[in-house]
Amino acid sequence: MQEIELKAWDYDTEKTEKALKTFATFAGTSFKSDRYFIQQNPPQEELRLRTQKDFKPSAGSVQNGEPEENCTFWVTHKKRFKQNGIEQNEETEFSVSDGAAFEKVLYTIGFKLKRTKEKKTGNWYYQNFHIETVELTGLGNFVEIETVLQNPGQEETAAAKQNLLKILQKCRIDAHNIEEKSYSRLLEEKNL
């Protein structure tokens, strides 16, 4: 599986949301708390353990004024490749039933906590693309656009990258706002 994605700074979130409403379907919000772990010995691979709480917008799920939430734990390992601000990742991801227990296993087998990150997202869908409006604690607002392809060829990958740029344009965000650095790097640069 290959994930092809870009992220861009969003300096006018109202304008972006207004644009999204014209072509994409809103699917709710999420709160994502990420804990990054790194092996203490070579090859020093990194894993992310995400606690994700999803809030669905359906009218039937509201109780006491709060939307029903669903909490899941995801483990992710990525091999990243970047070109012109667009990532093409080989990704392995799976869920675990107990995040705290999995974290304990990581410490036991020689991983240590490297950093944490928290973000609130609005989840939108357009064709086979997932669009997130992101509010990242300590950094600001972004838009992420991604698609997942199964064993893509060069033409399929190139077409997906062009479509990411077209969707960014539909969001009324200039391609100059694309951020090539990872969130982790940006947070490290701000000592967060």
Side-chain angles (χ1 to χ4, degrees):
M1 165 173 86
Q2 288 203 355
E3 178 184 75
I4 300 173
E5 67 179 319
L6 65 75
K7 71 172 168 296
W9 291 90
D10 184 1
Y11 298 113
D12 190 340
T13 57
E14 279 187 38
K15 182 175 82 171
T16 302
E17 189 166 316
K18 188 175 179 181
L20 279 163
K21 287 177 181 178
T22 67
F23 71 92
T25 303
F26 181 66
T29 59
S30 298
F31 176 77
K32 300 174 183 179
S33 178
D34 294 342
R35 295 173 62 79
Y36 291 86
F37 295 87
I38 189 165
Q39 286 176 309
Q40 295 183 60
N41 298 311
Q44 293 189 310
E45 291 289 330
E46 239 183 75
L47 293 175
R48 178 185 71 202
L49 175 60
R50 170 173 283 170
T51 302
Q52 181 171 324
K53 294 181 181 179
D54 296 317
F55 300 87
K56 304 296 181 197
S58 62
S61 68
V62 177
Q63 297 176 2
N64 300 324
E66 293 294 321
E68 184 178 314
E69 73 177 66
N70 177 26
C71 185
T72 53
F73 303 96
W74 295 96
V75 178
T76 306
H77 176 265
K78 291 185 182 187
K79 290 191 184 237
R80 298 179 187 272
F81 310 95
K82 276 195 181 182
Q83 183 178 26
N84 299 324
I86 297 177
E87 286 187 28
Q88 184 175 337
N89 301 317
E90 288 181 31
E91 181 175 277
T92 303
E93 186 170 66
F94 56 92
S95 65
V96 294
S97 60
D98 187 332
F102 186 80
E103 185 171 330
K104 190 173 182 179
V105 169
L106 287 175
Y107 287 123
T108 302
I109 62 173
F111 281 79
K112 67 178 182 178
L113 182 64
K114 185 177 179 182
R115 71 185 156 281
T116 61
K117 173 182 78 183
E118 292 185 344
K119 64 182 179 177
K120 180 181 175 187
T121 66
N123 299 295
W124 300 79
Y125 290 91
Y126 174 68
Q127 296 175 351
N128 60 335
F129 293 87
H130 180 204
I131 305 162
E132 288 185 334
T133 53
V134 177
E135 182 183 327
L136 188 65
T137 303
L139 281 183
N141 298 307
F142 297 84
V143 166
E144 294 180 26
I145 307 166
E146 72 176 27
T147 190
V148 176
L149 303 175
Q150 300 295 329
N151 303 315
Q154 286 183 325
E155 287 181 21
E156 191 178 9
T157 300
K161 289 178 179 180
Q162 285 303 310
N163 285 328
L164 290 176
L165 294 170
K166 288 177 184 175
I167 294 168
L168 185 65
Q169 207 171 31
K170 288 174 83 71
C171 291
R172 299 185 175 261
I173 295 176
D174 193 279
H176 290 97
N177 291 3
I178 292 174
E179 178 55 66
E180 292 193 26
K181 295 177 185 173
S182 69
Y183 289 136
S184 295
R185 172 60 60 87
L186 292 169
L187 289 166
E188 285 171 12
E189 289 176 356
K190 290 188 82 171
N191 293 318
L192 297 173

